[in-house]
Amino acid sequence: MTWSATARYRLEPAPGGLGLVQDLLNTVSAGAPPRPDLLDGLPEARAWADEAAAEWATATGQPAPRVTLDAEGLRELRSFREALGGLAAPEGKGDAEAPGPVTPYSGEAALRLGEDGVVRLEPHGTGWRHLVALSLAAVYEGQRADTARRLKTCRNPLCRVAFYDRSRNNSGVWHDVKTCGNAANLRAYRARRREQEEA
């Protein structure tokens, strides 16, 4: 089993629980040609949520949560996805493209001391709230481990694919250099050449 939304873009998933965050971001319609939005309707969203919950359990070694979605929960999950996208927005974009204020979200969680002596954050909740709690816990743990900053969205303005930057200095900006990076570099080269010819 794999993170189904991320697998559509042939990307290696982020480690641990961050894989859920990446996969949720990758449910959007993105890429070239654009893939369908996996949160467009209830049947698609429920299928994605079931697969994501099972994959989260595999990635974290914890029991799979049961996630049920209704129409209202789907609207909330879409809204949360957009807010979460602001955390992974590409750096260096102009103010016109900067995300607006982030809607605050919260999730239930407990701290539990395991038999191995390790304290773990255990997300709780029902329905879409459980997915929010799982995602927020993953981002929190990723921020503490300094890995969350490696979760990014492609800098190509026509692409919203989320990827985990595995470059040594965390300098990646394209989800795929061949498709998005080369096209952007070619456009920039042509623009510079036009400027030189006009000068």
Side-chain angles (χ1 to χ4, degrees), residues 154-157 159 172-189:
C154 186
R155 185 178 284 179
N156 181 345
C159 179
V173 294
W174 317 110
H175 89 278
D176 181 1
V177 174
K178 290 180 182 175
T179 57
C180 290
N182 286 348
N185 291 335
L186 182 59
R187 282 191 301 271
Y189 168 76

Short mmCIF file of all heavy atoms in Angstrom, two decimals, residues 154-157 159 172-189:
data_model
loop_
_atom_site.label_atom_id
_atom_site.label_comp_id
_atom_site.label_asym_id
_atom_site.label_seq_id
_atom_site.Cartn_x
_atom_site.Cartn_y
_atom_site.Cartn_z
N CYS A 154 5.50 22.69 -5.11
CA CYS A 154 6.28 23.05 -6.28
C CYS A 154 6.19 24.55 -6.56
O CYS A 154 5.11 25.14 -6.46
CB CYS A 154 5.78 22.25 -7.48
SG CYS A 154 6.76 22.46 -8.97
N ARG A 155 7.31 25.15 -6.92
CA ARG A 155 7.36 26.58 -7.19
C ARG A 155 6.67 26.95 -8.51
O ARG A 155 6.29 28.09 -8.72
CB ARG A 155 8.81 27.07 -7.21
CG ARG A 155 8.88 28.59 -7.38
CD ARG A 155 10.27 29.11 -7.37
NE ARG A 155 10.79 29.13 -6.02
CZ ARG A 155 12.02 29.52 -5.71
NH1 ARG A 155 12.85 29.90 -6.65
NH2 ARG A 155 12.42 29.52 -4.46
N ASN A 156 6.48 25.98 -9.40
CA ASN A 156 5.80 26.24 -10.66
C ASN A 156 4.38 26.73 -10.34
O ASN A 156 3.61 26.02 -9.70
CB ASN A 156 5.74 24.96 -11.49
CG ASN A 156 5.07 25.15 -12.83
OD1 ASN A 156 4.39 26.14 -13.08
ND2 ASN A 156 5.25 24.18 -13.70
N PRO A 157 4.02 27.95 -10.78
CA PRO A 157 2.70 28.48 -10.44
C PRO A 157 1.54 27.66 -11.01
O PRO A 157 0.42 27.76 -10.53
CB PRO A 157 2.71 29.90 -11.01
CG PRO A 157 3.83 29.94 -11.98
CD PRO A 157 4.81 28.88 -11.59
N CYS A 159 1.50 24.41 -10.91
CA CYS A 159 1.59 23.11 -10.26
C CYS A 159 1.49 23.30 -8.75
O CYS A 159 2.10 24.19 -8.19
CB CYS A 159 2.94 22.47 -10.62
SG CYS A 159 3.19 20.86 -9.86
N GLY A 172 15.60 22.36 -2.79
CA GLY A 172 14.70 21.98 -3.87
C GLY A 172 13.50 22.90 -3.96
O GLY A 172 12.96 23.35 -2.94
N VAL A 173 13.07 23.21 -5.17
CA VAL A 173 11.91 24.08 -5.37
C VAL A 173 10.89 23.48 -6.33
O VAL A 173 9.78 23.97 -6.43
CB VAL A 173 12.33 25.49 -5.86
CG1 VAL A 173 13.13 26.21 -4.80
CG2 VAL A 173 13.09 25.41 -7.16
N TRP A 174 11.27 22.41 -7.05
CA TRP A 174 10.38 21.79 -8.03
C TRP A 174 10.03 20.39 -7.56
O TRP A 174 10.89 19.68 -7.08
CB TRP A 174 11.04 21.69 -9.40
CG TRP A 174 11.79 22.91 -9.83
CD1 TRP A 174 13.15 23.05 -9.93
CD2 TRP A 174 11.24 24.18 -10.18
NE1 TRP A 174 13.47 24.31 -10.34
CE2 TRP A 174 12.31 25.03 -10.51
CE3 TRP A 174 9.95 24.68 -10.28
CZ2 TRP A 174 12.13 26.35 -10.89
CZ3 TRP A 174 9.77 25.99 -10.66
CH2 TRP A 174 10.85 26.80 -10.98
N HIS A 175 8.78 19.99 -7.77
CA HIS A 175 8.44 18.61 -7.42
C HIS A 175 9.12 17.65 -8.38
O HIS A 175 9.44 16.52 -8.03
CB HIS A 175 6.92 18.41 -7.39
CG HIS A 175 6.32 17.99 -8.69
ND1 HIS A 175 6.02 18.89 -9.69
CD2 HIS A 175 5.96 16.77 -9.15
CE1 HIS A 175 5.50 18.23 -10.71
NE2 HIS A 175 5.45 16.94 -10.41
N ASP A 176 9.36 18.13 -9.62
CA ASP A 176 10.05 17.33 -10.63
C ASP A 176 10.82 18.31 -11.52
O ASP A 176 10.23 19.11 -12.23
CB ASP A 176 9.04 16.54 -11.46
CG ASP A 176 9.69 15.67 -12.53
OD1 ASP A 176 10.94 15.65 -12.62
OD2 ASP A 176 8.96 14.99 -13.27
N VAL A 177 12.14 18.25 -11.45
CA VAL A 177 12.98 19.19 -12.19
C VAL A 177 12.73 19.07 -13.69
O VAL A 177 12.70 20.07 -14.41
CB VAL A 177 14.47 18.95 -11.86
CG1 VAL A 177 15.36 19.81 -12.72
CG2 VAL A 177 14.73 19.25 -10.38
N LYS A 178 12.51 17.85 -14.18
CA LYS A 178 12.34 17.65 -15.62
C LYS A 178 11.08 18.33 -16.15
O LYS A 178 11.11 18.95 -17.21
CB LYS A 178 12.30 16.16 -15.96
CG LYS A 178 13.63 15.47 -15.78
CD LYS A 178 13.53 14.01 -16.13
CE LYS A 178 14.87 13.33 -15.90
NZ LYS A 178 14.80 11.89 -16.12
N THR A 179 9.98 18.20 -15.44
CA THR A 179 8.73 18.78 -15.95
C THR A 179 8.56 20.24 -15.55
O THR A 179 8.23 21.07 -16.40
CB THR A 179 7.50 17.98 -15.50
OG1 THR A 179 7.50 17.92 -14.07
CG2 THR A 179 7.51 16.59 -16.07
N CYS A 180 8.74 20.56 -14.29
CA CYS A 180 8.50 21.93 -13.83
C CYS A 180 9.75 22.80 -13.87
O CYS A 180 9.70 23.96 -14.28
CB CYS A 180 7.92 21.91 -12.42
SG CYS A 180 6.24 21.27 -12.38
N GLY A 181 10.87 22.27 -13.44
CA GLY A 181 12.10 23.06 -13.38
C GLY A 181 12.63 23.44 -14.75
O GLY A 181 12.96 24.61 -14.99
N ASN A 182 12.70 22.48 -15.66
CA ASN A 182 13.22 22.78 -17.00
C ASN A 182 12.36 23.79 -17.73
O ASN A 182 12.87 24.69 -18.40
CB ASN A 182 13.35 21.50 -17.83
CG ASN A 182 14.52 20.65 -17.38
OD1 ASN A 182 15.36 21.08 -16.60
ND2 ASN A 182 14.57 19.42 -17.86
N ALA A 183 11.03 23.67 -17.59
CA ALA A 183 10.14 24.61 -18.27
C ALA A 183 10.33 26.01 -17.72
O ALA A 183 10.39 26.99 -18.48
CB ALA A 183 8.69 24.16 -18.10
N ALA A 184 10.45 26.15 -16.40
CA ALA A 184 10.64 27.47 -15.80
C ALA A 184 12.00 28.06 -16.18
O ALA A 184 12.11 29.25 -16.48
CB ALA A 184 10.52 27.38 -14.29
N ASN A 185 13.02 27.23 -16.18
CA ASN A 185 14.35 27.71 -16.55
C ASN A 185 14.39 28.14 -18.02
O ASN A 185 15.03 29.14 -18.36
CB ASN A 185 15.41 26.63 -16.29
CG ASN A 185 15.60 26.39 -14.81
OD1 ASN A 185 15.35 27.27 -13.99
ND2 ASN A 185 16.04 25.19 -14.45
N LEU A 186 13.69 27.41 -18.88
CA LEU A 186 13.63 27.78 -20.29
C LEU A 186 12.90 29.12 -20.47
O LEU A 186 13.35 29.98 -21.23
CB LEU A 186 12.94 26.68 -21.11
CG LEU A 186 12.85 26.90 -22.61
CD1 LEU A 186 14.24 27.05 -23.23
CD2 LEU A 186 12.10 25.76 -23.27
N ARG A 187 11.79 29.32 -19.75
CA ARG A 187 11.08 30.59 -19.83
C ARG A 187 11.97 31.74 -19.36
O ARG A 187 12.01 32.81 -19.98
CB ARG A 187 9.80 30.55 -18.98
CG ARG A 187 8.66 29.81 -19.63
CD ARG A 187 7.34 30.02 -18.89
NE ARG A 187 7.39 29.59 -17.50
CZ ARG A 187 7.10 28.38 -17.09
NH1 ARG A 187 6.74 27.45 -17.96
NH2 ARG A 187 7.15 28.07 -15.81
N ALA A 188 12.69 31.52 -18.26
CA ALA A 188 13.58 32.56 -17.75
C ALA A 188 14.71 32.87 -18.73
O ALA A 188 15.06 34.04 -18.95
CB ALA A 188 14.16 32.14 -16.39
N TYR A 189 15.26 31.84 -19.35
CA TYR A 189 16.33 32.03 -20.34
C TYR A 189 15.81 32.84 -21.53
O TYR A 189 16.47 33.77 -21.99
CB TYR A 189 16.84 30.66 -20.81
CG TYR A 189 17.73 30.74 -22.03
CD1 TYR A 189 19.04 31.18 -21.93
CD2 TYR A 189 17.24 30.38 -23.28
CE1 TYR A 189 19.85 31.26 -23.06
CE2 TYR A 189 18.02 30.45 -24.41
CZ TYR A 189 19.33 30.90 -24.29
OH TYR A 189 20.13 30.99 -25.41
#
